[in-house]
Amino acid sequence: MEYVDLRSDTVTKPTPEMREAMAEAEVGDDVYMDDPTVNQLQQKAAEMLGKEDALFVPSGTMGNLLALLVHCQRGDEVIVGDKSHIYLNEAGGMSALGGIHPHPIKNQADGTLALDEILASIQTEDVHHTITRLICLENTQNVCGGVVLPVEYVQAVGKIAQDHDLFLHMDGARIFNAAAALNVSVKDLVEPADSVMFCLSKGLVAPVGSMLVGRRKFITRARHLRKMLGGGMRQAGVLAAAGLISLEKLSTRLGQDHARAKSLYEGLKQVRGLKLDASPSSNMVYFDLLDEVKLRVDQIVVEMKTRGVLVDWAGPRRFRLVTHYWVDDAGVEKTVKAFGEVLK
């Protein structure tokens, strides 16, 4: 059976053009910094985001951790959202490996951290306090529904960071989705950030890898820490070749995924037993099961799979569906029909 896979945009497989580029990639040893394809990818990423330099890393989690380790010393504090990926879903790496203290504050429904709460969370000079060193934002904000943080908001947080001599890191795993949703350049969207991580292996369709961008000195230190964490990938050009196609070609089509998420949302509004969140801002549709639905989420997952649709639950009564390159209009229709059959 050919499945419609809506579990995540991490399930994307490389396009035929990517596979060809990977097979023909010119490679070297990236630990020696002489893999030409990796170097080209890093240069391209830095240029597109308006930063001095970039580093190719195996995963977004490693990219975020590297940023935290460069910006912060042991015992420093980082302001994060209580629904952020860095805080919830990266295995506590900042604390376990960096000795960094998280200061979580509430993510608003629109994904933002309230500016007054950010200000109130900055520690004063006191022997009893940790030292606030960093603010982290996530764009798009996954758990809040794939919502988008606008340019003006990022600039406002950047001003707070600058005024208080703090760093600003952007977990931009889906930053190209955010830029597409806002119809702005990704460079303008991340301009206030000292560092940005973004994933190649989600909506940008590459099989492996993420990018960390920032100032040249920052990237030099991150490269050293990447080696410490086991992230030196040697002939990584075979992976970077796919990433180049991600940036040059796949980054411009994300609006199609957003349109299909909206179509999926509209279709699911007609299915009984569902309480949908707001209309999707990007490529994610979140909804809860109403009390009238007696099936458990795991039962629904099984029933959907028998109908050729793969879904994943996001809570005891909650689902998240994610559109991506390999979900077409027919896949959206198939998904709506399957949910209608399962929840009839």
Side-chain angles (χ1 to χ4, degrees):
M1 182 183 296
E2 184 174 345
Y3 291 100
V4 179
D5 196 341
L6 292 156
R7 292 173 297 171
S8 176
D9 46 9
T10 61
V11 303
T12 50
K13 298 176 176 64
T15 66
E17 184 180 9
M18 284 180 172
R19 291 179 185 273
E20 182 178 352
M22 293 167 71
E24 297 178 354
E26 185 181 359
V27 299
D29 188 327
D30 183 47
V31 175
Y32 286 114
M33 299 174 62
D34 66 5
D35 187 303
T37 310
V38 172
N39 292 342
Q40 186 181 354
L41 173 64
Q42 291 172 164
Q43 181 180 356
K44 180 72 172 178
E47 290 173 354
M48 289 184 72
L49 274 73
K51 305 302 181 185
E52 290 180 356
D53 205 354
L55 184 67
F56 185 41
V57 296
S59 70
T61 294
M62 181 182 283
N64 282 333
L65 178 61
L66 289 173
L68 290 163
L69 293 176
V70 175
H71 288 311
C72 300
Q73 299 297 311
R74 300 186 70 84
D76 285 349
E77 185 166 278
V78 54
I79 297 171
V80 293
D82 67 343
K83 293 182 174 65
S84 68
H85 196 277
I86 286 175
Y87 183 61
L88 292 177
N89 295 313
E90 297 188 1
M94 73 170 86
S95 300
L97 302 178
I100 300 164
H101 188 261
H103 186 137
I105 60 178
K106 181 179 176 60
N107 277 104
Q108 306 300 306
D110 64 357
T112 63
L113 308 178
L115 298 180
D116 58 347
E117 292 190 27
I118 294 176
L119 285 166
S121 299
I122 299 172
Q123 296 282 18
T124 58
E125 291 284 344
D126 189 296
V127 68
H128 301 92
H129 295 168
T130 53
I131 297 172
T132 305
R133 191 75 67 188
L134 176 67
I135 304 169
C136 291
L137 297 178
E138 181 180 334
N139 201 10
T140 63
Q141 214 297 334
N142 178 1
V143 176
C144 292
V147 294
V148 178
L149 309 187
V151 173
E152 297 77 14
Y153 173 77
V154 177
Q155 290 174 338
V157 177
K159 181 70 162 54
I160 290 174
Q162 185 177 42
D163 289 347
H164 292 81
D165 198 25
L166 306 178
F167 296 110
L168 173 61
H169 173 66
M170 177 72 72
D171 174 359
R174 297 179 176 90
I175 196 66
F176 282 88
N177 288 90
L182 295 169
N183 195 28
V184 300
S185 75
V186 69
K187 183 184 296 187
D188 289 343
L189 188 51
V190 304
E191 189 277 329
D194 296 287
S195 57
V196 185
M197 183 285 297
F198 69 88
C199 292
L200 298 166
S201 58
K202 292 187 169 74
L204 297 182
V205 194
V208 177
S210 294
M211 304 302 301
L212 182 63
V213 301
R215 294 185 179 92
R216 188 159 288 109
K217 184 177 181 180
F218 167 88
I219 293 297
T220 297
R221 178 59 178 152
R223 179 174 284 107
H224 180 256
L225 292 170
R226 184 188 68 172
K227 178 63 175 173
M228 184 187 296
L229 295 176
M233 295 184 287
R234 304 301 179 184
Q235 286 72 41
V238 294
L239 300 175
L244 278 168
I245 294 173
S246 292
L247 295 183
E248 293 168 355
K249 299 185 178 182
L250 280 300
S251 63
T252 61
R253 56 151 308 278
L254 294 169
Q256 298 175 38
D257 299 340
H258 301 175
R260 290 192 174 105
K262 286 182 168 59
S263 295
L264 180 59
Y265 172 85
E266 292 299 326
L268 291 174
K269 284 168 65 176
Q270 312 308 315
V271 177
R272 63 175 290 276
L274 303 182
K275 180 183 178 183
L276 282 92
D277 288 10
S279 180
S281 302
S282 57
N283 67 328
M284 297 183 187
V285 178
Y286 275 90
F287 58 85
D288 295 294
L289 301 176
L290 296 177
D291 291 341
E292 66 191 68
V293 177
K294 302 308 179 185
L295 291 171
R296 302 188 309 271
V297 290
D298 60 313
Q299 293 173 316
I300 292 173
V301 168
V302 171
E303 288 297 323
M304 291 294 289
K305 185 175 181 178
T306 65
R307 291 163 173 81
V309 180
L310 302 180
V311 297
D312 197 7
W313 52 274
R317 302 280 291 173
R318 188 163 174 79
F319 283 89
R320 181 192 74 163
L321 309 183
V322 186
T323 56
H324 51 77
Y325 181 87
W326 296 107
V327 177
D328 58 14
D329 293 335
V332 170
E333 294 175 9
K334 183 176 181 177
T335 301
V336 172
K337 180 183 178 183
F339 267 110
E341 292 174 355
V342 172
L343 299 176
K344 64 183 179 181

